């Protein structure tokens, strides 16, 4: 719902049209299942930066191990 409201405000599209577009997309659960890396951004900017750097470091290690 939050994503639909933000998108509608930003794009000028009616909220109903935004919701239909969102419903046509893959669910967040499916995205998470398919993702190689997931960064939970449900925190302040400092926490998001820390989590991003942690995932980046993990990715670099994985690539170096190849």
């Amino acid at each position: 719902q939050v994503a639909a409201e933000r998108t509608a405000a930003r794009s000028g599209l009616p909220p109903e049209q935004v919701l239909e577009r969102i419903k046509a997309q893959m669910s967040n659960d499916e995205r998470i299942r398919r993702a190689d890396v997931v960064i939970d951004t449900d925190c302040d900017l400092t926490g998001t930066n820390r989590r991003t750097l942690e995932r980046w470091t993990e990715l670099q290690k994985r690539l170096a191990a190849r």
Side-chain angles (χ1 to χ4, degrees):
Q1 185 65 36
V2 172
E5 291 170 6
R6 288 179 180 169
T7 302
R10 182 179 63 242
S11 68
L13 293 171
E16 300 81 24
Q17 189 175 3
V18 173
L19 282 173
E20 287 303 314
R21 290 180 181 199
I22 290 172
K23 288 177 187 176
Q25 296 176 2
M26 187 184 322
S27 71
N28 285 340
D29 288 339
E30 183 65 18
R31 284 188 184 112
I32 290 168
R33 279 194 297 277
R34 293 178 181 222
D36 291 322
V37 176
V38 175
I39 301 171
D40 181 1
T41 60
D42 190 20
C43 57
D44 63 14
L45 186 56
T46 300
T48 298
N49 285 333
R50 180 182 48 77
R51 291 172 181 178
T52 301
L53 288 173
E54 289 170 355
R55 298 298 90 71
W56 177 244
T57 301
E58 291 169 8
L59 277 173
Q60 288 176 314
K61 289 178 184 177
R62 285 170 46 190
L63 288 171
R66 287 184 173 183

